């Protein structure tokens, strides 16, 4: 199955409403080959609605950075999948390492969120990745296996059009230290194998993104790596030129 590569920008807690709307407006006007690559913006909650409006009629996607697993209730500070959907949001990042490590999200909770996102007919961008300690102890494959088995537990099947996986080694996030091509190829290959064992051949069509200090200098090499179907980008997604340059690199060098 042919995969269309994806470039998703995770803005984290950056950009005011006006900054966010102006930013997506500028990128919308750039000449990018949107047939060849799917571009998704994941702004903070404050500007989701206005950014969906600003991108109306375009092929750009909009994603949230988190969602609660319940549909409604006494959960101060949280937002539900239905609420996101009612704003026109199509994707939700689930299990980002900052949610896991700063906000204490467990694999079990992430699994509930994945089910909620799929039940709500949005598309999860399901994040996995090992810490530096895991890697130094040669535990990377086990950690990925554990995160995927628990995170996707209870799903009878997987629809490649409705699931995105992002491999983000924790030690590479925001550090300027990117995983080597070999490390990325090995991890992505293992993710594919694990998905194949869980869901069979259909899982070959699930896009697997790499995230962790991707920028305009390393994007071209990384996208040529086996089993890399695009990127989930933090810092470099906040700047127009670097984000567009990475999109162009994916357009040019993705091997599929
Ligand atoms: P950086 O690109 O800033 O390393 O962040 C990666 C990330 O966490 C994307 O979700």
């Amino acid at each position: 199955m042919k995969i269309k590569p994806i470039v998703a920008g995770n803005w984290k807690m950056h950009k005011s409403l006006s900054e966010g709307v102006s930013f997506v407006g500028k990128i919308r006007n750039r000449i990018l080959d949107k047939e060849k690559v799917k571009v998704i913006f994941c702004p903070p909650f404050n500007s989701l609605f206005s950014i969906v409006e600003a991108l109306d009629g375009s092929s750009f996607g909009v994603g949230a950075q988190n969602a609660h697993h319940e549909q409604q209730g006494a959960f101060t500070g949280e937002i539900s999948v239905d609420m996101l959907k009612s704003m026109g949001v199509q994707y939700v990042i689930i299990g980002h390492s900052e949610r896991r490590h700063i906000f204490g999200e467990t694999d079990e909770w992430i699994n509930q969120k994945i089910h909620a996102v799929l039940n709500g007919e949005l598309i999860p961008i399901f994040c996995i990745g090992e810490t530096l300690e895991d890697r130094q102890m040669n535990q990377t494959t086990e950690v990925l296996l554990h995160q995927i088995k628990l995170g996707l537990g209870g799903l009878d099947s997987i629809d490649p059009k409705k699931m995105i996986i992002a491999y983000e080694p924790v030690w590479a996030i925001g550090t300027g230290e990117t995983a080597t091509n070999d490390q990325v190829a090995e991890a992505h290959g293992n993710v594919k194998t694990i998905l194949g064992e869980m869901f069979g051949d259909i899982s070959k069509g699930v896009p697997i993104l790499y995230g962790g200090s991707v920028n305009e200098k390393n994007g071209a090499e990384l996208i040529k790596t086996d089993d890399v179907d695009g990127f989930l980008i933090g810092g470099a997604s906040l700047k127009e030129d670097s984000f567009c340059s990475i999109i162009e690199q994916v357009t040019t060098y993705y091997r599929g």
Side-chain angles (χ1 to χ4, degrees), residues 58-86:
S58 76
S59 63
F60 291 100
V62 179
Q65 298 173 17
N66 184 27
H68 197 271
H69 66 277
E70 295 283 359
Q71 285 185 1
Q72 57 184 10
F75 301 107
T76 302
E78 292 289 329
I79 194 159
S80 75
V81 173
D82 280 355
M83 292 168 187
L84 295 172
K85 195 175 172 184
S86 71

PDB file of all heavy atoms in Angstrom, residues 58-86:
ATOM      1  N   SER A  58      -8.518  24.210   2.301  1.00  0.00           N
ATOM      2  CA  SER A  58      -7.157  23.788   1.920  1.00  0.00           C
ATOM      3  C   SER A  58      -6.983  22.305   2.256  1.00  0.00           C
ATOM      4  O   SER A  58      -7.855  21.693   2.861  1.00  0.00           O
ATOM      5  CB  SER A  58      -6.111  24.599   2.684  1.00  0.00           C
ATOM      6  OG  SER A  58      -6.030  24.125   4.021  1.00  0.00           O
ATOM      7  N   SER A  59      -5.830  21.740   1.875  1.00  0.00           N
ATOM      8  CA  SER A  59      -5.600  20.325   2.193  1.00  0.00           C
ATOM      9  C   SER A  59      -4.798  20.161   3.489  1.00  0.00           C
ATOM     10  O   SER A  59      -4.419  19.057   3.852  1.00  0.00           O
ATOM     11  CB  SER A  59      -4.863  19.663   1.037  1.00  0.00           C
ATOM     12  OG  SER A  59      -3.611  20.290   0.901  1.00  0.00           O
ATOM     13  N   PHE A  60      -4.512  21.278   4.176  1.00  0.00           N
ATOM     14  CA  PHE A  60      -3.767  21.169   5.431  1.00  0.00           C
ATOM     15  C   PHE A  60      -4.651  20.542   6.501  1.00  0.00           C
ATOM     16  O   PHE A  60      -5.857  20.797   6.551  1.00  0.00           O
ATOM     17  CB  PHE A  60      -3.337  22.560   5.918  1.00  0.00           C
ATOM     18  CG  PHE A  60      -2.293  23.202   5.066  1.00  0.00           C
ATOM     19  CD1 PHE A  60      -2.631  24.159   4.130  1.00  0.00           C
ATOM     20  CD2 PHE A  60      -0.962  22.838   5.202  1.00  0.00           C
ATOM     21  CE1 PHE A  60      -1.662  24.755   3.332  1.00  0.00           C
ATOM     22  CE2 PHE A  60       0.016  23.427   4.406  1.00  0.00           C
ATOM     23  CZ  PHE A  60      -0.335  24.380   3.473  1.00  0.00           C
ATOM     24  N   GLY A  61      -4.040  19.742   7.358  1.00  0.00           N
ATOM     25  CA  GLY A  61      -4.777  19.133   8.460  1.00  0.00           C
ATOM     26  C   GLY A  61      -4.502  19.882   9.756  1.00  0.00           C
ATOM     27  O   GLY A  61      -3.492  20.585   9.885  1.00  0.00           O
ATOM     28  N   VAL A  62      -5.417  19.716  10.713  1.00  0.00           N
ATOM     29  CA  VAL A  62      -5.232  20.347  12.026  1.00  0.00           C
ATOM     30  C   VAL A  62      -5.384  19.280  13.106  1.00  0.00           C
ATOM     31  O   VAL A  62      -6.338  18.478  13.077  1.00  0.00           O
ATOM     32  CB  VAL A  62      -6.250  21.489  12.250  1.00  0.00           C
ATOM     33  CG1 VAL A  62      -6.037  22.114  13.630  1.00  0.00           C
ATOM     34  CG2 VAL A  62      -6.109  22.556  11.170  1.00  0.00           C
ATOM     35  N   GLY A  63      -4.447  19.280  14.030  1.00  0.00           N
ATOM     36  CA  GLY A  63      -4.482  18.300  15.111  1.00  0.00           C
ATOM     37  C   GLY A  63      -4.356  18.964  16.464  1.00  0.00           C
ATOM     38  O   GLY A  63      -3.767  20.045  16.588  1.00  0.00           O
ATOM     39  N   ALA A  64      -4.923  18.311  17.489  1.00  0.00           N
ATOM     40  CA  ALA A  64      -4.740  18.763  18.875  1.00  0.00           C
ATOM     41  C   ALA A  64      -3.539  18.022  19.467  1.00  0.00           C
ATOM     42  O   ALA A  64      -3.083  17.027  18.903  1.00  0.00           O
ATOM     43  CB  ALA A  64      -5.997  18.478  19.678  1.00  0.00           C
ATOM     44  N   GLN A  65      -3.066  18.508  20.598  1.00  0.00           N
ATOM     45  CA  GLN A  65      -1.873  17.900  21.205  1.00  0.00           C
ATOM     46  C   GLN A  65      -2.214  16.887  22.292  1.00  0.00           C
ATOM     47  O   GLN A  65      -1.329  16.242  22.859  1.00  0.00           O
ATOM     48  CB  GLN A  65      -0.984  18.998  21.792  1.00  0.00           C
ATOM     49  CG  GLN A  65      -0.464  19.965  20.753  1.00  0.00           C
ATOM     50  CD  GLN A  65       0.269  21.142  21.368  1.00  0.00           C
ATOM     51  OE1 GLN A  65       0.664  21.103  22.536  1.00  0.00           O
ATOM     52  NE2 GLN A  65       0.453  22.197  20.591  1.00  0.00           N
ATOM     53  N   ASN A  66      -3.502  16.780  22.605  1.00  0.00           N
ATOM     54  CA  ASN A  66      -3.930  15.877  23.676  1.00  0.00           C
ATOM     55  C   ASN A  66      -5.452  15.842  23.680  1.00  0.00           C
ATOM     56  O   ASN A  66      -6.092  16.718  23.088  1.00  0.00           O
ATOM     57  CB  ASN A  66      -3.421  16.429  25.023  1.00  0.00           C
ATOM     58  CG  ASN A  66      -3.719  15.513  26.195  1.00  0.00           C
ATOM     59  OD1 ASN A  66      -3.848  14.288  26.032  1.00  0.00           O
ATOM     60  ND2 ASN A  66      -3.828  16.086  27.379  1.00  0.00           N
ATOM     61  N   ALA A  67      -6.016  14.843  24.328  1.00  0.00           N
ATOM     62  CA  ALA A  67      -7.466  14.808  24.567  1.00  0.00           C
ATOM     63  C   ALA A  67      -7.704  13.906  25.767  1.00  0.00           C
ATOM     64  O   ALA A  67      -6.897  13.016  26.060  1.00  0.00           O
ATOM     65  CB  ALA A  67      -8.205  14.246  23.350  1.00  0.00           C
ATOM     66  N   HIS A  68      -8.807  14.139  26.458  1.00  0.00           N
ATOM     67  CA  HIS A  68      -9.180  13.251  27.564  1.00  0.00           C
ATOM     68  C   HIS A  68      -9.939  12.053  26.979  1.00  0.00           C
ATOM     69  O   HIS A  68     -10.507  12.151  25.900  1.00  0.00           O
ATOM     70  CB  HIS A  68     -10.052  13.997  28.573  1.00  0.00           C
ATOM     71  CG  HIS A  68     -10.133  13.300  29.891  1.00  0.00           C
ATOM     72  ND1 HIS A  68     -11.095  12.350  30.162  1.00  0.00           N
ATOM     73  CD2 HIS A  68      -9.358  13.385  30.998  1.00  0.00           C
ATOM     74  CE1 HIS A  68     -10.905  11.893  31.394  1.00  0.00           C
ATOM     75  NE2 HIS A  68      -9.858  12.500  31.927  1.00  0.00           N
ATOM     76  N   HIS A  69      -9.933  10.937  27.718  1.00  0.00           N
ATOM     77  CA  HIS A  69     -10.599   9.753  27.162  1.00  0.00           C
ATOM     78  C   HIS A  69     -12.109   9.770  27.388  1.00  0.00           C
ATOM     79  O   HIS A  69     -12.846   9.071  26.701  1.00  0.00           O
ATOM     80  CB  HIS A  69      -9.990   8.468  27.720  1.00  0.00           C
ATOM     81  CG  HIS A  69     -10.209   8.274  29.181  1.00  0.00           C
ATOM     82  ND1 HIS A  69      -9.408   8.850  30.131  1.00  0.00           N
ATOM     83  CD2 HIS A  69     -11.161   7.577  29.855  1.00  0.00           C
ATOM     84  CE1 HIS A  69      -9.832   8.500  31.329  1.00  0.00           C
ATOM     85  NE2 HIS A  69     -10.898   7.743  31.199  1.00  0.00           N
ATOM     86  N   GLU A  70     -12.585  10.544  28.380  1.00  0.00           N
ATOM     87  CA  GLU A  70     -14.039  10.603  28.603  1.00  0.00           C
ATOM     88  C   GLU A  70     -14.657  11.633  27.670  1.00  0.00           C
ATOM     89  O   GLU A  70     -13.996  12.586  27.256  1.00  0.00           O
ATOM     90  CB  GLU A  70     -14.326  11.017  30.058  1.00  0.00           C
ATOM     91  CG  GLU A  70     -13.855  10.018  31.091  1.00  0.00           C
ATOM     92  CD  GLU A  70     -14.769   8.793  31.227  1.00  0.00           C
ATOM     93  OE1 GLU A  70     -15.792   8.725  30.515  1.00  0.00           O
ATOM     94  OE2 GLU A  70     -14.428   7.905  32.022  1.00  0.00           O
ATOM     95  N   GLN A  71     -15.932  11.467  27.398  1.00  0.00           N
ATOM     96  CA  GLN A  71     -16.596  12.412  26.489  1.00  0.00           C
ATOM     97  C   GLN A  71     -16.932  13.728  27.161  1.00  0.00           C
ATOM     98  O   GLN A  71     -16.978  14.784  26.528  1.00  0.00           O
ATOM     99  CB  GLN A  71     -17.874  11.794  25.936  1.00  0.00           C
ATOM    100  CG  GLN A  71     -17.562  10.759  24.879  1.00  0.00           C
ATOM    101  CD  GLN A  71     -18.802  10.219  24.217  1.00  0.00           C
ATOM    102  OE1 GLN A  71     -19.911  10.617  24.511  1.00  0.00           O
ATOM    103  NE2 GLN A  71     -18.602   9.284  23.314  1.00  0.00           N
ATOM    104  N   GLN A  72     -17.234  13.659  28.462  1.00  0.00           N
ATOM    105  CA  GLN A  72     -17.518  14.873  29.230  1.00  0.00           C
ATOM    106  C   GLN A  72     -17.425  14.533  30.712  1.00  0.00           C
ATOM    107  O   GLN A  72     -17.316  13.369  31.065  1.00  0.00           O
ATOM    108  CB  GLN A  72     -18.914  15.407  28.909  1.00  0.00           C
ATOM    109  CG  GLN A  72     -20.005  14.397  29.150  1.00  0.00           C
ATOM    110  CD  GLN A  72     -21.374  14.924  28.741  1.00  0.00           C
ATOM    111  OE1 GLN A  72     -21.493  15.962  28.117  1.00  0.00           O
ATOM    112  NE2 GLN A  72     -22.409  14.200  29.107  1.00  0.00           N
ATOM    113  N   GLY A  73     -17.481  15.548  31.555  1.00  0.00           N
ATOM    114  CA  GLY A  73     -17.469  15.271  32.989  1.00  0.00           C
ATOM    115  C   GLY A  73     -16.666  16.295  33.754  1.00  0.00           C
ATOM    116  O   GLY A  73     -16.231  17.311  33.207  1.00  0.00           O
ATOM    117  N   ALA A  74     -16.488  16.023  35.040  1.00  0.00           N
ATOM    118  CA  ALA A  74     -15.781  16.954  35.924  1.00  0.00           C
ATOM    119  C   ALA A  74     -14.277  16.714  35.808  1.00  0.00           C
ATOM    120  O   ALA A  74     -13.670  16.030  36.637  1.00  0.00           O
ATOM    121  CB  ALA A  74     -16.267  16.747  37.360  1.00  0.00           C
ATOM    122  N   PHE A  75     -13.698  17.240  34.741  1.00  0.00           N
ATOM    123  CA  PHE A  75     -12.262  17.056  34.490  1.00  0.00           C
ATOM    124  C   PHE A  75     -11.664  18.422  34.157  1.00  0.00           C
ATOM    125  O   PHE A  75     -11.400  18.736  32.981  1.00  0.00           O
ATOM    126  CB  PHE A  75     -12.032  16.066  33.346  1.00  0.00           C
ATOM    127  CG  PHE A  75     -12.627  14.715  33.610  1.00  0.00           C
ATOM    128  CD1 PHE A  75     -13.764  14.298  32.942  1.00  0.00           C
ATOM    129  CD2 PHE A  75     -12.064  13.865  34.551  1.00  0.00           C
ATOM    130  CE1 PHE A  75     -14.330  13.070  33.192  1.00  0.00           C
ATOM    131  CE2 PHE A  75     -12.623  12.619  34.811  1.00  0.00           C
ATOM    132  CZ  PHE A  75     -13.763  12.224  34.133  1.00  0.00           C
ATOM    133  N   THR A  76     -11.524  19.231  35.197  1.00  0.00           N
ATOM    134  CA  THR A  76     -11.065  20.611  35.019  1.00  0.00           C
ATOM    135  C   THR A  76      -9.786  20.683  34.188  1.00  0.00           C
ATOM    136  O   THR A  76      -8.828  19.965  34.457  1.00  0.00           O
ATOM    137  CB  THR A  76     -10.814  21.251  36.401  1.00  0.00           C
ATOM    138  OG1 THR A  76     -12.033  21.173  37.137  1.00  0.00           O
ATOM    139  CG2 THR A  76     -10.377  22.704  36.274  1.00  0.00           C
ATOM    140  N   GLY A  77      -9.822  21.518  33.179  1.00  0.00           N
ATOM    141  CA  GLY A  77      -8.620  21.727  32.368  1.00  0.00           C
ATOM    142  C   GLY A  77      -8.476  20.759  31.205  1.00  0.00           C
ATOM    143  O   GLY A  77      -7.502  20.837  30.465  1.00  0.00           O
ATOM    144  N   GLU A  78      -9.435  19.848  31.072  1.00  0.00           N
ATOM    145  CA  GLU A  78      -9.300  18.842  30.007  1.00  0.00           C
ATOM    146  C   GLU A  78     -10.251  19.137  28.841  1.00  0.00           C
ATOM    147  O   GLU A  78     -11.148  19.969  28.951  1.00  0.00           O
ATOM    148  CB  GLU A  78      -9.608  17.447  30.572  1.00  0.00           C
ATOM    149  CG  GLU A  78      -8.570  16.952  31.569  1.00  0.00           C
ATOM    150  CD  GLU A  78      -7.247  16.597  30.921  1.00  0.00           C
ATOM    151  OE1 GLU A  78      -7.243  16.159  29.757  1.00  0.00           O
ATOM    152  OE2 GLU A  78      -6.204  16.741  31.585  1.00  0.00           O
ATOM    153  N   ILE A  79     -10.058  18.432  27.754  1.00  0.00           N
ATOM    154  CA  ILE A  79     -10.901  18.617  26.576  1.00  0.00           C
ATOM    155  C   ILE A  79     -11.195  17.236  25.976  1.00  0.00           C
ATOM    156  O   ILE A  79     -10.327  16.348  26.021  1.00  0.00           O
ATOM    157  CB  ILE A  79     -10.212  19.559  25.558  1.00  0.00           C
ATOM    158  CG1 ILE A  79     -11.195  20.042  24.505  1.00  0.00           C
ATOM    159  CG2 ILE A  79      -9.001  18.897  24.908  1.00  0.00           C
ATOM    160  CD1 ILE A  79     -10.749  21.317  23.807  1.00  0.00           C
ATOM    161  N   SER A  80     -12.403  17.054  25.467  1.00  0.00           N
ATOM    162  CA  SER A  80     -12.770  15.727  24.959  1.00  0.00           C
ATOM    163  C   SER A  80     -12.606  15.649  23.443  1.00  0.00           C
ATOM    164  O   SER A  80     -12.526  16.674  22.751  1.00  0.00           O
ATOM    165  CB  SER A  80     -14.217  15.387  25.327  1.00  0.00           C
ATOM    166  OG  SER A  80     -15.099  16.119  24.509  1.00  0.00           O
ATOM    167  N   VAL A  81     -12.620  14.423  22.952  1.00  0.00           N
ATOM    168  CA  VAL A  81     -12.498  14.189  21.508  1.00  0.00           C
ATOM    169  C   VAL A  81     -13.672  14.829  20.772  1.00  0.00           C
ATOM    170  O   VAL A  81     -13.491  15.471  19.733  1.00  0.00           O
ATOM    171  CB  VAL A  81     -12.423  12.665  21.230  1.00  0.00           C
ATOM    172  CG1 VAL A  81     -12.477  12.375  19.745  1.00  0.00           C
ATOM    173  CG2 VAL A  81     -11.149  12.081  21.845  1.00  0.00           C
ATOM    174  N   ASP A  82     -14.882  14.677  21.332  1.00  0.00           N
ATOM    175  CA  ASP A  82     -16.050  15.279  20.669  1.00  0.00           C
ATOM    176  C   ASP A  82     -15.913  16.795  20.567  1.00  0.00           C
ATOM    177  O   ASP A  82     -16.334  17.400  19.581  1.00  0.00           O
ATOM    178  CB  ASP A  82     -17.334  14.942  21.440  1.00  0.00           C
ATOM    179  CG  ASP A  82     -17.815  13.543  21.100  1.00  0.00           C
ATOM    180  OD1 ASP A  82     -17.204  12.916  20.209  1.00  0.00           O
ATOM    181  OD2 ASP A  82     -18.780  13.078  21.729  1.00  0.00           O
ATOM    182  N   MET A  83     -15.366  17.407  21.603  1.00  0.00           N
ATOM    183  CA  MET A  83     -15.176  18.869  21.579  1.00  0.00           C
ATOM    184  C   MET A  83     -14.198  19.261  20.473  1.00  0.00           C
ATOM    185  O   MET A  83     -14.410  20.237  19.748  1.00  0.00           O
ATOM    186  CB  MET A  83     -14.666  19.361  22.940  1.00  0.00           C
ATOM    187  CG  MET A  83     -15.682  19.238  24.037  1.00  0.00           C
ATOM    188  SD  MET A  83     -14.899  19.508  25.639  1.00  0.00           S
ATOM    189  CE  MET A  83     -16.272  19.084  26.706  1.00  0.00           C
ATOM    190  N   LEU A  84     -13.148  18.483  20.347  1.00  0.00           N
ATOM    191  CA  LEU A  84     -12.160  18.763  19.284  1.00  0.00           C
ATOM    192  C   LEU A  84     -12.809  18.576  17.919  1.00  0.00           C
ATOM    193  O   LEU A  84     -12.649  19.401  17.015  1.00  0.00           O
ATOM    194  CB  LEU A  84     -10.953  17.829  19.432  1.00  0.00           C
ATOM    195  CG  LEU A  84     -10.123  18.013  20.700  1.00  0.00           C
ATOM    196  CD1 LEU A  84      -9.088  16.902  20.820  1.00  0.00           C
ATOM    197  CD2 LEU A  84      -9.449  19.376  20.709  1.00  0.00           C
ATOM    198  N   LYS A  85     -13.564  17.502  17.805  1.00  0.00           N
ATOM    199  CA  LYS A  85     -14.209  17.211  16.528  1.00  0.00           C
ATOM    200  C   LYS A  85     -15.180  18.328  16.142  1.00  0.00           C
ATOM    201  O   LYS A  85     -15.272  18.721  14.981  1.00  0.00           O
ATOM    202  CB  LYS A  85     -14.958  15.884  16.670  1.00  0.00           C
ATOM    203  CG  LYS A  85     -15.368  15.267  15.370  1.00  0.00           C
ATOM    204  CD  LYS A  85     -15.972  13.912  15.638  1.00  0.00           C
ATOM    205  CE  LYS A  85     -16.560  13.335  14.394  1.00  0.00           C
ATOM    206  NZ  LYS A  85     -17.226  12.067  14.655  1.00  0.00           N
ATOM    207  N   SER A  86     -15.873  18.864  17.131  1.00  0.00           N
ATOM    208  CA  SER A  86     -16.861  19.912  16.843  1.00  0.00           C
ATOM    209  C   SER A  86     -16.182  21.187  16.341  1.00  0.00           C
ATOM    210  O   SER A  86     -16.825  22.044  15.756  1.00  0.00           O
ATOM    211  CB  SER A  86     -17.710  20.212  18.079  1.00  0.00           C
ATOM    212  OG  SER A  86     -16.929  20.891  19.032  1.00  0.00           O
TER     213      SER A  86
END
